[in-house]
């Protein structure tokens, strides 16, 4: 897995500010969501990496603030969580659109358009008694990253800006990059980009980070919400021609657990999320 696991406690503490902001407009005078009768008990799930736990904690705290009795089941994997959601053991959890689609149907066609991916995904989930809510703007997917110095030297802001200078540059990324459609083959087909050299490293991990930091490589394949980008002041190049999949962060529901008010609250959380906010929260964890 590409992300590091962090403590649920850390995720909870760091989510408080955004959760409070999301909830501020929800409550009615005199107590709002805490009154008005009994509400269903819900279990919020999250997988065993920090970003998922941050999101799960956001969902849990927003629902708790509105008067729902919330249990948490964190530390899962998609392989164990999806069956648990189908059985009703878990009611809601954060997901990533394109990755979820490929998990449900490995042969499905995916794209950079979240609405198109959602439209393909919805009937497949319906068969499992599951449904997605509103996708957020936040997306966690492959990203091509350069140092600020490299960006300034070559006037780089978007991936397409690499095209005229890529022959002078070295790309670093996972060993599978020369065969992966969203790495070297995709760069060539979608952008007409061919790098002068490729250095096989790891999957957005310490080898790639160190190689970019030391100047061994000029361009690194990382991930859009990876906190090191912010920490180092690096430049995440815009995927301006839509090479990468729409892995927008989206709540996933068990349809038997669906509650209209709870859906609205979770959609409000999605409406506040951006990749920049997730990158910051991941960094603070």
């Amino acid at each position: 897995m590409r992300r590091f696991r962090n403590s649920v406690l850390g995720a909870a503490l760091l989510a408080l500010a955004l959760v409070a902001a999301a909830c501020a407009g929800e409550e009615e005078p005199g107590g709002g969501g805490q009154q008005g009768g009994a509400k269903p008990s819900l279990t919020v799930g999250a997988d065993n990496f920090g970003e998922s736990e941050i999101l799960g904690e956001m969902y849990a705290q927003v629902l708790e603030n509105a008067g729902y009795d919330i249990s948490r089941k964190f530390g899962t994997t998609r392989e164990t969580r999806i069956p648990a959601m189908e059985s009703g053991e878990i009611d809601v959890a954060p997901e990533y659109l394109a990755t979820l689609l490929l998990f449900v149907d490995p042969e499905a066609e995916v794209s950079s358009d979240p609405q198109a991916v959602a439209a393909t995904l919805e009937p497949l989930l319906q068969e499992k008694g599951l449904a997605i809510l509103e996708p957020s703007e936040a997306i966690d997917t492959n990203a091509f990253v350069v140092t600020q110095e490299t960006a300034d030297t070559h006037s780089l802001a978007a991936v397409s800006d690499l095209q005229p200078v890529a022959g002078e540059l070295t790309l670093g990324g996972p060993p599978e990059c020369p065969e992966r459609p969203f790495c070297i083959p995709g760069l060539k087909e979608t952008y007409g980009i061919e790098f002068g050299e490729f250095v096989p490293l790891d999957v957005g991990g310490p080898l790639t980070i160190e190689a970019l930091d030391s100047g061994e490589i000029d361009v690194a394949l990382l991930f859009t919400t990876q906190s090191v980008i912010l920490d180092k002041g690096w430049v995440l190049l815009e995927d301006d021609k839509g090479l990468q999949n729409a892995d927008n962060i989206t709540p996933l529901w068990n349809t038997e657990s669906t509650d209209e008010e709870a859906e609205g609250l979770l959609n409000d959380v999605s409406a506040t999320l951006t990749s920049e906010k997730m990158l910051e929260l991941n960094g603070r964890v």
Side-chain angles (χ1 to χ4, degrees), residues 18 94 101 155 188 251 279:
L18 182 54
L101 174 56
S155 300
K188 183 175 181 180
L279 190 152

Side-chain angles (χ1 to χ4, degrees), residues 4-87:
F4 297 104
R5 184 175 182 180
N6 302 282
S7 72
V8 175
L9 176 59
L13 293 174
L14 294 172
L16 281 172
L18 182 54
V19 169
C23 293
E26 306 289 348
E27 296 193 344
E28 303 290 340
Q34 300 290 345
Q35 300 178 0
K39 296 182 179 181
S41 298
L42 298 171
T43 298
V44 177
D47 290 347
N48 62 344
F49 58 93
E51 183 172 277
S52 183
E53 292 184 353
I54 291 171
L55 292 162
E57 193 61 42
M58 286 181 186
Y59 296 172
Q61 291 188 28
V62 164
L63 293 169
E64 283 176 330
N65 186 74
Y68 291 86
D69 179 19
I70 298 299
S71 299
R72 293 160 174 79
K73 189 173 180 62
F74 291 1
T76 58
T77 65
R78 187 173 283 109
E79 287 77 8
T80 60
R81 176 177 47 77
I82 294 297
M85 295 190 73
E86 291 181 61
S87 69

Side-chain angles (χ1 to χ4, degrees), residues 78-79 81-83 85-86 94-110 117-132 247 252-253:
R78 187 173 283 109
E79 287 77 8
R81 176 177 47 77
I82 294 297
M85 295 190 73
E86 291 181 61
E95 261 295 355
Y96 299 84
L97 277 181
T99 299
L100 178 60
L101 174 56
L102 290 173
F103 179 82
V104 174
D105 180 4
E107 303 301 319
E109 290 189 15
V110 291
V117 174
T120 304
L121 185 56
E122 284 168 349
L124 299 174
L125 291 175
Q126 188 175 11
E127 297 174 2
K128 297 177 176 292
L130 303 176
I132 51 173
D247 251 333
L252 178 67
W253 263 111

Side-chain angles (χ1 to χ4, degrees), residues 3 48 68 97 100 102 108 158 166 177 199 202 210-211 225 231 245:
R3 309 170 185 91
N48 62 344
Y68 291 86
L97 277 181
L100 178 60
L102 290 173
C177 188
V199 176
D202 56 10
E210 173 58 29
T225 60
D231 296 341
N245 284 334

Side-chain angles (χ1 to χ4, degrees), residues 108-183:
E109 290 189 15
V110 291
S111 74
S112 60
D113 179 355
Q115 297 305 321
V117 174
T120 304
L121 185 56
E122 284 168 349
L124 299 174
L125 291 175
Q126 188 175 11
E127 297 174 2
K128 297 177 176 292
L130 303 176
I132 51 173
L133 300 184
E134 290 296 321
S136 71
E137 180 186 326
I139 183 170
D140 188 358
T141 190
N142 295 331
F144 294 97
V145 176
V146 298
T147 64
Q148 186 65 59
E149 180 181 1
T150 299
D152 292 342
T153 299
H154 298 287
S155 300
L156 303 176
V159 176
S160 59
D161 295 331
L162 289 166
Q163 198 277 330
V165 298
E168 309 167 27
L169 305 178
T170 298
L171 172 68
E176 302 84 4
C177 188
E179 289 79 43
R180 291 290 173 88
F182 304 112
C183 200

